[in-house]
Amino acid sequence: MQKAFDLVVRGGTVVDGTGAQAFEADVGVKAGRIAAVGKLSGAGATEIDARGQMVTPGFVDIHTHYDGQATWDERLQPSSWHGVTTVVMGNCGVGFAPCREGDHDLLIRLMEGVEDIPFPVLADGLPWNWESYPEYLDRLAERRFDVDVGSQLPHAALRVYVMGQRGVDREPATAADIHAMAAIARRAMEAGAMGFGTSRTLNHRSSDGSPIATLTAGEDELTGIALGMAAAGKGVLQVVSDFDHPQEEFDMLERIVAASGRPLSFSMVQSPRSPAGWRNFLERMSGAKAKGLQIRAQVASRPVGVLFGLELTVNPFSHHPSYREIKDRPLAERVAALRDPDFRARLLSEEGTARAIGLSPSRFWDRTFPMGEEPDYEPTQDQSIAAIAERQGVSPFEIALDHMLTNGGRGILYLPLLNYPEFTLDPVYEMFQHDCVVPGLSDGGAHMGMICDGSFPTTNLVHWTRDRTRGPKLSIEHMVKGQCRDTAETVGLFDRGVIQPGYRADLNVIDYDRLKLKAPQVVYDLPTGGRRLIQRAEGYTATVVAGQVTYRDGAPTGALPGRLLRGAQAAPARLAAE
C-alpha cells in the first residue's frame, strides 16, 4: 500500500525559520518538498520519531570555500556535520574559474595563502577539466553531494583571466578590461552563478606573500562587473574589506548597489583596531535600507581565532632553533623529544627568530587560551595562558608546551583575534539583533591548519540560545531564522529555510539538550594525505536534504541528494502568488 508521504518527522518541536514561536507538529515530505505541517494521520515510507526534539529547516551557510573540495569530494564536511544543507562558495574573490592552463599554479598559490589549503592538496585534487566559469559549473553539475552547492564568480580568478600579469600586479583595469570582465560576469550569472565575490583586505595574500590581485581594484572596475550582473538580472555581491576608510568605502558600496540594483553583503567583525567601528556599519546599513538598497553584513557567531598546536601550521616554538631540528619528525617522535628534560630546558631557554613575530601567540599570551575537550568560545582573561603562568609562577611558554603535549601531543591553543578585543561577545549579541545582519563567515572547507570555524551553525544554537553565561542570550527562534531563512534570502534562495508547505524539504532533527561541540581535531584525509582541522558535534539526530536522510546521529547514510544550484531560486509558487 502506497504511503501518504515519503518521509514524516513525527511529534517534534518545530522551529520553522520564520521567527514565529516554536510549536509541536508533524512534518510530511513528498517529492523533495514539504507537503504538510500539523497533526498528520498519513504514514510515511520513512518515519523519524522527533518527540522531545527540535525540528528546524536545514541551515544555509553562505560563506564557505569548498571551491576545490567540491570537485573531488561528495561530502562537504565539516559543514554537513553541523546541520548545513546548503553551502555557497566562491567568497572573498578566490576560486578556480575562469582559469587558463598556464595560470593553474597561480590560483592554487592564492588559495593556499588566503585560505590555508596546501598547494600539494589542490595540485593533486583539482581535475582542471574546465577553463571558463560556465564549464566549471558544468563539471560541478555532474557531481552529487550531501548538501546543495552554490558558487560565486571569484574576482581574483576573473581579473587574472582578463588582465594576465597586469591583474596579478594590481594595475588599474582599462575600459577594455572592465568591458571584458563585465561580459564574463554576465555569462557567469546566466550560467548559474549565485553572485560575485571580491576581497579588499591585506590579510588575503598568495602563499608567496603578494597581496590578492583584487586588493586595489577601482570603483569603476567593481561597478562595471556589477553592471554586467545587472544585465543578466541576477546575482549578489559579496565583499570583504579592511575598511581603512569606512565612510568612503561604504559610500562606494552604496553607489555600486544603487547603480546595479544587485544586493550586497560584506564581512563585519569587531576589530581590535576599531572596537566600536561596527556600530557605524549598523547605522549605515539601516540608512541604505531606508533608501531601498539591500546591504547586509555577515557576522561570525564567535571570535574568529587562530589555533596553534604541534600538528597545526604554527605553534609557539615553530621558529625556535631546537624545535626546527625536530619539526619534520612524526608527531610521536616530536612529543618524545619535547618531554625529554634536557631538550625541553634547551627549547625553553631559546627565543624564536624575528620572522615568527607576526605568527606566534607569544605576542598575545594574555589573549591565548588552552582549548579543552568542550571548547569555551567566550573565555575570561583569568583563563589565559598568561594568567595561568602568573598563578603558577612559571613562563607562559611552559604552560603552552604542557598543554600542547596533552592528548598525545594534540593539545590546542586558541587565540581569539576578531570579535573579542574586549573579552566579551556582547557586541556580537547586539549585531545579531540588527535586521540587516545574518550569521556567516564560517569559511567551511578552508583554513586547514589554523582555523576551524565550519561549526559556527552549531555555536549559534549551543552558545547563543542555551549555554551562554556571560551575558544575555538570543531566542532559538531568532537564531534559527537567521541561519535559515535570512541567510537563504540574502543570496536569493527563496525556496528554502522555512518549514512550510511547498518549501524544500531540508530539515534537521536535533536533540537540543544533548547538542554540543567537540574539540577540533586533525585528520589526514585530503588528496596526497593532506592534513586538515575538523570539528564534529553531538546531538544531530537526523539531517534531511531534499527529502532524503543524509545523516543519522552524525554518520552519513550514503544518500547524496545535493546538487549544484544554478543561481537564485524562487519561492514556492503558491506563496509567491500570495
Side-chain angles (χ1 to χ4, degrees):
M1 182 176 178
Q2 187 171 356
K3 303 292 187 181
F5 301 100
D6 299 330
L7 169 70
V8 175
V9 180
R10 293 274 180 200
T13 300
V14 175
V15 185
D16 69 3
T18 66
Q21 184 71 36
F23 57 94
E24 186 175 310
D26 306 328
V27 179
V29 172
K30 198 169 185 63
R33 297 275 169 179
I34 295 170
V37 181
K39 184 65 175 176
L40 306 181
S41 58
T46 300
E47 299 230 357
I48 297 175
D49 183 356
R51 288 175 297 176
Q53 300 188 67
M54 182 167 65
V55 181
T56 74
F59 301 147
V60 179
D61 189 340
I62 62 175
H63 195 110
T64 75
H65 292 282
Y66 290 108
D67 310 74
Q69 187 174 333
T71 68
W72 70 71
D73 203 345
E74 298 170 325
R75 295 187 172 91
L76 299 189
Q77 300 161 344
S79 293
S80 54
W81 284 324
H82 294 278
V84 173
T85 55
T86 301
V87 300
V88 177
M89 59 194 189
N91 290 285
C92 303
V94 291
F96 301 107
C99 185
R100 294 185 173 84
E101 185 174 355
D103 292 328
H104 289 178
D105 286 1
L106 190 152
L107 292 190
I108 288 176
R109 284 195 299 272
L110 180 61
M111 185 68 82
E112 180 181 44
V114 173
E115 304 299 342
D116 190 29
I117 305 174
F119 188 103
V121 168
L122 293 170
D124 183 76
L126 289 166
W128 289 118
N129 51 355
W130 65 82
E131 177 177 316
S132 71
Y133 185 83
E135 289 171 342
Y136 174 70
L137 292 186
D138 288 344
R139 299 294 79 78
L140 291 175
E142 296 166 356
R143 299 183 56 76
R144 302 293 179 260
F145 306 101
D146 59 0
V147 297
D148 272 0
V149 178
S151 175
Q152 297 174 112
L153 175 67
H155 191 188
L158 172 64
R159 197 168 209 268
V160 172
Y161 190 78
V162 169
M163 298 175 63
Q165 191 61 41
R166 291 186 299 115
V168 177
D169 294 339
R170 300 178 305 286
E171 292 185 15
T174 66
D177 294 330
I178 295 171
H179 179 77
M181 284 190 267
I184 293 173
R186 177 176 182 170
R187 290 196 293 272
M189 301 306 125
E190 292 171 342
M194 300 297 302
F196 164 83
T198 190
S199 170
R200 304 175 66 78
T201 173
L202 278 169
N203 293 321
H204 287 169
R205 297 175 178 269
S206 180
S207 55
D208 64 10
S210 57
I212 190 169
T214 61
L215 177 67
T216 55
E219 181 175 351
D220 56 345
E221 179 178 337
L222 295 171
T223 302
I225 293 167
L227 290 175
M229 297 165 63
K234 301 175 181 179
V236 298
L237 299 161
Q238 179 271 327
V239 179
V240 58
S241 175
D242 290 330
F243 285 107
D244 288 331
H245 304 287
Q247 299 294 359
E248 293 88 340
E249 192 151 2
F250 200 96
D251 287 344
M252 179 187 74
L253 298 181
E254 276 198 358
R255 289 192 294 270
I256 293 170
V257 172
S260 66
R262 304 321 307 156
L264 179 147
S265 71
F266 67 97
S267 302
M268 183 173 75
V269 295
Q270 185 190 28
S271 166
R273 294 185 304 161
S274 179
W278 55 274
R279 295 187 182 279
N280 171 65
F281 289 124
L282 296 185
E283 294 174 3
R284 293 299 307 264
M285 285 189 293
S286 294
K289 183 178 180 180
K291 300 174 188 176
L293 305 177
Q294 182 178 311
I295 299 179
R296 294 182 177 177
Q298 297 186 38
V299 169
S301 59
R302 65 189 193 218
V304 179
V306 178
L307 304 181
F308 302 93
L310 299 179
E311 282 190 293
L312 305 183
T313 302
V314 177
N315 71 69
F317 302 97
S318 291
H319 296 282
H320 284 57
S322 292
Y323 187 80
R324 295 178 72 178
E325 294 173 12
I326 65 169
K327 67 182 180 67
D328 295 324
R329 295 183 191 176
L331 177 63
E333 292 184 20
R334 280 182 285 140
V335 169
L338 291 166
R339 285 176 173 162
D340 178 79
D342 292 337
F343 185 90
R344 175 188 173 100
R346 176 158 58 97
L347 178 70
L348 291 171
S349 71
E350 297 170 348
E351 293 184 3
T353 57
R355 61 177 287 215
I357 289 176
L359 293 172
S360 176
S362 61
R363 292 179 60 204
F364 308 101
W365 287 131
D366 62 330
R367 293 184 169 274
T368 301
F369 302 87
M371 179 168 278
E373 286 302 308
E374 294 188 19
D376 180 357
Y377 290 106
E378 195 171 9
T380 55
Q381 264 187 295
D382 64 351
Q383 297 171 273
S384 71
I385 295 291
I388 296 170
E390 184 176 0
R391 286 196 297 270
Q392 295 186 13
V394 298
S395 161
F397 281 96
E398 290 188 60
I399 300 297
L401 179 57
D402 287 342
H403 183 73
M404 290 191 298
L405 287 172
T406 61
N407 192 25
R410 295 177 177 84
I412 292 175
L413 305 174
Y414 174 49
L415 171 58
L417 293 172
L418 303 172
N419 282 358
Y420 215 59
E422 299 168 319
F423 296 95
T424 176
L425 286 174
D426 284 349
V428 176
Y429 171 81
E430 291 190 47
M431 294 180 204
F432 273 154
Q433 294 185 89
H434 194 278
D435 62 358
C436 294
V437 166
V438 297
L441 313 185
S442 84
D443 281 352
H447 303 298
M448 301 304 189
M450 294 187 75
I451 298 173
C452 191
D453 288 342
S455 58
F456 276 178
T458 301
T459 295
N460 290 338
L461 291 180
V462 170
H463 186 78
W464 283 109
T465 74
R466 192 190 68 194
D467 291 350
R468 190 174 192 230
T469 60
R470 298 188 55 220
K473 301 173 188 176
L474 293 160
S475 73
I476 295 174
E477 292 85 355
H478 180 86
M479 291 308 297
V480 168
K481 176 177 179 287
Q483 188 65 71
C484 298
R485 181 180 217 165
D486 292 351
T487 46
E489 293 186 352
T490 295
V491 293
L493 297 175
F494 293 92
D495 66 333
R496 63 198 63 204
V498 174
I499 300 179
Q500 289 180 357
Y503 280 87
R504 277 266 305 194
D506 296 341
L507 303 166
N508 286 307
V509 179
I510 302 171
D511 189 339
Y512 180 68
D513 293 337
R514 196 169 62 86
L515 186 65
K516 71 175 183 177
L517 278 172
K518 296 184 177 182
Q521 65 182 107
V522 173
V523 295
Y524 297 84
D525 62 353
L526 294 176
T528 71
R531 171 205 65 191
R532 65 171 177 150
L533 273 162
I534 63 169
Q535 187 173 24
R536 304 192 67 155
E538 290 182 3
Y540 287 99
T541 299
T543 296
V544 178
V545 174
Q548 297 186 44
V549 181
T550 53
Y551 285 83
R552 285 188 180 271
D553 296 316
T557 63
L560 296 170
R563 301 291 186 268
L564 173 73
L565 289 167
R566 294 278 191 176
Q569 304 291 312
R574 179 179 64 82
L575 295 167
E578 292 173 358

